[in-house]
C-alpha cells in the first residue's frame, strides 16, 4: 500500500514504544535512544528529540585523547558528542542501516565514520592507521570499543560478517570494511595486479589482511567511492 489517508499514514508510521530499553530501532535506519542520563553519539546524527537534553562537544577531549582525537576525526565528519538528559533521542546517519550490539566484556573495532552511539560504560580509544595515511582519503581511523554495554553502528545496505580462522585469512577493501573483532590487527598490503578489482574508492589496490581468530564486518559499498559520486 502506498496511498494513505492522513489518519492511515499516521497510524502506519507513528513512533511506537517497544519496551526494548536504552536503544530501540524505530526503523532499520532510525535509532531511538530512551535516555535518562548520558550517551555518546556521532556529531550531526540527531534528527529529533523530545524532552530536556544538553549536547556537549567539548567533552570529546576526555580520556587523555587530547588533540589526537580531533586530528583523528578531522575531515571525516565523525566527531562525537555527549547527550545528557531525560529524553527520547532519535539518531540516523545518511539513511544507513543501523546495527545494535550488546557487548559482554568484549572488544570490537568500528570504522570511525560508522560508529553511531554507545553507552558511557564502554571504554573507547581512537586508533590511527598510520601505514596508509596519505594513500587513501577515508577510513583511516577506527574506534576500539571495549567493555559491557550497548553500541550502535551503521552500514550501507546489508552488512556481511566473515569469519577469520588460523590459516584462512580474510582480505578486504578498507572502504568497505565496517568493523572487526577486538583481537585482530589488520596488516595493509597492496597488489598492483588487483588494482582494477579492489580499491576503486581510493584509486589504489590497498587491502586489509586479517589473520588469526575472529570476524570482519563488510558492507556492499565503498564509502569514499559513494561520497565521490554524490559530490
Amino acid at each position: 500500500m502506498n496511498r494513505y489517508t492522513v489518519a492511515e499514514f499516521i497510524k502506519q508510521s507513528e513512533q511506537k514504544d517497544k519496551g526494548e530499553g536504552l536503544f530501540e530501532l524505530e526503523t532499520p535506519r532510525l535509532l531511538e535512544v530512551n535516555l535518562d542520563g548520558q550517551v555518546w553519539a556521532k556529531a550531526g546524527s540527531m534528527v529529533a528529540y523530545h524532552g530536556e537534553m544538553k549536547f556537549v562537544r567539548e567533552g570529546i577531549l576526555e580520556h587523555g585523547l587530547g588533540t589526537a582525537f580531533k586530528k583523528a576525526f578531522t575531515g571525516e565528519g565523525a566527531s562525537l558528542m555527549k547527550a545528557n538528559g531525560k529524553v527520547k533521542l532519535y539518531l540516523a546517519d545518511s539513511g544507513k542501516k543501523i546495527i545494535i550490539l550488546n557487548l559482554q566484556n568484549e572488544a570490537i573495532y568500528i570504522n570511525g565514520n560508522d560508529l553511531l552511539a554507545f553507552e558511557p560504560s564502554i571504554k573507547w580509544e581512537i586508533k590511527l592507521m598510520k601505514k596508509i595515511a596519505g594513500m587513501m582519503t577515508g577510513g583511516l581511523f577506527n574506534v576500539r570499543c571495549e567493555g559491557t554495554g550497548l553500541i550502535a553502528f551503521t552500514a550501507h545496505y546489508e552488512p556481511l560478517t566473515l569469519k577469520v580462522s588460523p590459516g584462512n585469512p580474510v582480505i578486504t577493501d578498507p572502504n568497505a570494511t565496517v568493523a572487526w573483532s577486538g583481537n585482530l590487527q589488520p596488516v595493509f598490503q597492496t597488489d598492483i595486479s588487483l588494482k582494477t578489482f579492489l580499491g576503486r574508492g581510493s584509486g589504489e589496490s590497498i587491502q586489509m589482511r586479517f589473520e588469526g581468530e575472529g570476524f570482519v564486518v563488510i558492507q556492499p559499498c565503498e564509502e569514499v567511492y559513494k561520497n565521490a559520486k554524490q559530490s
Side-chain angles (χ1 to χ4, degrees):
M1 181 177 179
N2 57 12
R3 296 185 182 182
Y4 306 89
T5 65
V6 171
E8 289 171 340
F9 176 73
I10 292 173
K11 183 177 180 181
Q12 191 274 338
S13 63
E14 69 180 340
Q15 181 268 336
K16 300 176 179 65
D17 286 320
K18 301 176 182 178
E20 295 176 352
L22 179 64
F23 286 0
E24 290 186 9
L25 285 181
E26 279 297 317
T27 75
R29 294 168 176 81
L30 193 63
L31 177 69
E32 178 183 278
V33 182
N34 295 297
L35 187 60
D36 187 3
Q38 176 181 303
V39 71
W40 285 96
K42 180 177 180 178
S45 64
M46 187 277 292
V47 294
Y49 69 90
H50 57 85
E52 296 296 324
M53 185 169 59
K54 180 180 180 181
F55 292 106
V56 181
R57 287 192 69 168
E58 291 77 10
I60 61 177
L61 301 183
E62 294 180 0
H63 309 293
L65 293 174
T67 56
F69 182 94
K70 294 204 294 187
K71 180 180 179 182
F73 285 96
T74 296
E76 290 196 6
S79 57
L80 298 174
M81 61 185 179
K82 278 195 298 188
N84 294 278
K86 188 171 185 179
V87 63
K88 283 188 180 294
L89 170 64
Y90 297 94
L91 305 176
D93 185 12
S94 301
K96 294 195 288 185
K97 186 178 178 67
I98 299 170
I99 301 94
I100 300 173
L101 294 182
N102 187 6
L103 296 188
Q104 299 292 320
N105 196 27
E106 297 164 298
I108 187 172
Y109 285 92
I110 300 176
N111 182 289
N113 196 47
D114 297 319
L115 184 59
L116 182 64
F118 56 92
E119 290 192 80
S121 60
I122 297 295
K123 297 179 181 178
W124 51 276
E125 183 181 2
I126 303 302
K127 296 291 185 179
L128 169 62
M129 298 182 186
K130 295 180 181 179
K131 291 185 179 180
I132 57 170
M135 299 173 69
M136 297 176 57
T137 57
L140 300 179
F141 303 93
N142 294 280
V143 184
R144 189 179 194 273
C145 299
E146 183 176 9
T148 297
L150 296 175
I151 291 178
F153 66 95
T154 60
H156 288 288
Y157 312 109
E158 300 294 330
L160 175 69
T161 299
L162 303 175
K163 292 289 188 67
V164 181
S165 60
N168 293 289
V170 171
I171 294 88
T172 66
D173 181 335
N175 291 321
T177 305
V178 176
W180 60 90
S181 48
N183 60 304
L184 295 182
Q185 297 293 330
V187 174
F188 294 93
Q189 63 184 34
T190 59
D191 189 336
I192 298 301
S193 66
L194 291 178
K195 186 171 183 179
T196 57
F197 296 99
L198 292 174
R200 289 178 295 128
S202 65
E204 299 287 347
S205 56
I206 305 167
Q207 304 154 33
M208 297 175 74
R209 183 183 182 92
F210 296 88
E211 294 190 83
E213 189 82 40
F215 63 87
V216 182
V217 182
I218 60 171
Q219 61 185 2
C221 175
E222 293 175 287
E223 188 96 24
V224 174
Y225 177 74
K226 181 182 178 69
N227 290 341
K229 293 285 286 185
Q230 291 177 340
S231 61

